Amino acid sequence: MILYKGEIFEDHHQRKLIDKLREDCYETLANEDFLKVNEVVEACDKLAQRVKSGTYNDLILPLLEEFDIPYDYFLSHMPMFEKPSLLKKVETELGKNYDQEEILDEKNHKKRYPLGILFHIAAGNVDALPAYSVIEGLLAGNINILKLPSGDRGVSVKLLSELIKIEPKIKPYIYVFDVPSTETETLKIFADIADAIVVWGGDVAIKAARSMASVTTKIIEWGHKLSFAYASLNASD
């Protein structure tokens, strides 16, 4: 399943869409009408409230049952998409005056701009992570190309397409492809278009991303380098 400028396509359209992906991304960059943080935040908050109210339960509940994920546990992720959390995140990372030009002195001003085009390689072992990774890119005004992880089962495409319906300005900033990791030539096309590759995972995933990236492409790494766990004899599973 593919999400391209707000429309959902079957996978057999992949080649045709990829052939025009660079042109469409560059057209959005040339427009210079960047997304505003408040537009993204308001749309995400509305989406989160709809999820919490059960609007998408016909899609979500069967998936939760299949993967044995409690509904309450799923809902506990929703604050990540809500207005208070997103505004706190933006202010923490970009400062309170993130959307204003800062006058340093008579000759020097400082203003933040989007990096450009991000290629997200999200891990499939964290709930709602692929959609959240794209939202992080949107908050900074970037165009986002998402490679779906195996096992996503359409949740990310559904949530992101609904986000676009809430705020149509987001439409040219999201491109989602269901491309397996074995299709390395296709992934290299995405990497070549992107200004940065956002990788969620360990050393193996990061090494694979570096092998696809040119010397001018940034690698943005997310994920634990060291993990640990506690085991309890009273565990139910």
Side-chain angles (χ1 to χ4, degrees):
M1 190 177 294
I2 298 167
L3 179 62
Y4 196 102
K5 282 193 170 183
E7 294 187 54
I8 296 177
F9 296 88
E10 295 298 327
D11 288 340
H12 65 266
H13 291 285
Q14 177 176 292
R15 175 48 53 194
K16 180 179 68 174
L17 294 173
I18 289 176
D19 285 345
K20 64 178 204 158
L21 178 61
R22 184 189 300 271
E23 181 181 348
D24 284 343
C25 288
Y26 285 5
E27 182 180 343
T28 300
L29 289 176
N31 189 21
E32 294 190 358
D33 183 20
F34 301 123
L35 276 175
K36 295 178 176 59
V37 171
N38 66 299
E39 293 171 338
V40 177
V41 169
E42 292 293 341
C44 290
D45 190 70
K46 289 178 182 178
L47 178 65
Q49 303 317 313
R50 291 181 185 180
V51 171
K52 289 169 67 175
S53 69
T55 301
Y56 309 116
N57 277 357
D58 58 331
L59 171 71
I60 292 170
L61 291 180
L63 289 171
L64 296 181
E65 183 177 352
E66 180 178 351
F67 291 100
D68 196 25
I69 299 172
Y71 186 63
D72 289 344
Y73 173 74
F74 171 78
L75 289 181
S76 71
H77 286 75
M78 283 306 103
M80 291 169 38
F81 297 87
E82 293 180 325
K83 187 173 183 177
S85 295
L86 293 177
L87 288 179
K88 180 68 173 178
K89 176 180 180 61
V90 173
E91 290 182 4
T92 300
E93 297 184 11
L94 300 181
K96 289 189 176 181
N97 298 320
Y98 52 81
D99 58 348
Q100 298 176 14
E101 184 173 349
E102 183 179 348
I103 301 175
L104 303 178
D105 54 45
E106 290 183 359
K107 297 183 178 180
N108 297 288
H109 295 191
K110 182 170 74 173
K111 189 173 182 179
R112 294 177 178 84
Y113 287 89
L115 179 60
I117 303 168
L118 306 181
F119 172 32
H120 301 260
I121 304 176
N125 60 346
V126 180
D127 305 311
L129 178 59
Y132 187 72
S133 186
V134 168
I135 286 169
E136 284 200 321
L138 291 172
L139 287 171
N142 294 295
I143 297 169
N144 301 272
I145 303 169
L146 170 65
K147 172 202 171 306
L148 288 174
S150 58
D152 188 81
R153 309 296 176 89
V155 173
S156 295
V157 168
K158 179 64 175 177
L159 292 178
L160 292 173
S161 64
E162 290 298 316
L163 188 69
I164 290 169
K165 290 178 184 177
I166 294 170
E167 178 48 80
K169 286 185 179 180
I170 295 174
K171 186 183 298 185
Y173 288 85
I174 298 178
Y175 301 90
V176 182
F177 292 89
D178 191 5
V179 178
S181 299
T182 52
E183 281 191 33
T184 54
E185 292 305 312
T186 301
L187 299 182
K188 286 179 180 178
I189 293 173
F190 296 153
D192 185 57
I193 295 172
D195 297 293
I197 302 176
V198 182
V199 191
W200 298 77
D203 293 336
V204 174
I206 293 167
K207 183 178 180 180
R210 290 190 185 279
S211 70
M212 293 187 288
S214 69
V215 294
T216 59
T217 305
K218 299 177 183 295
I219 302 293
I220 302 173
E221 303 176 16
W222 294 93
H224 301 295
K225 298 301 177 187
L226 181 66
S227 298
F228 66 93
Y230 290 105
S232 170
L233 294 177
N234 297 322
S236 60
D237 189 359

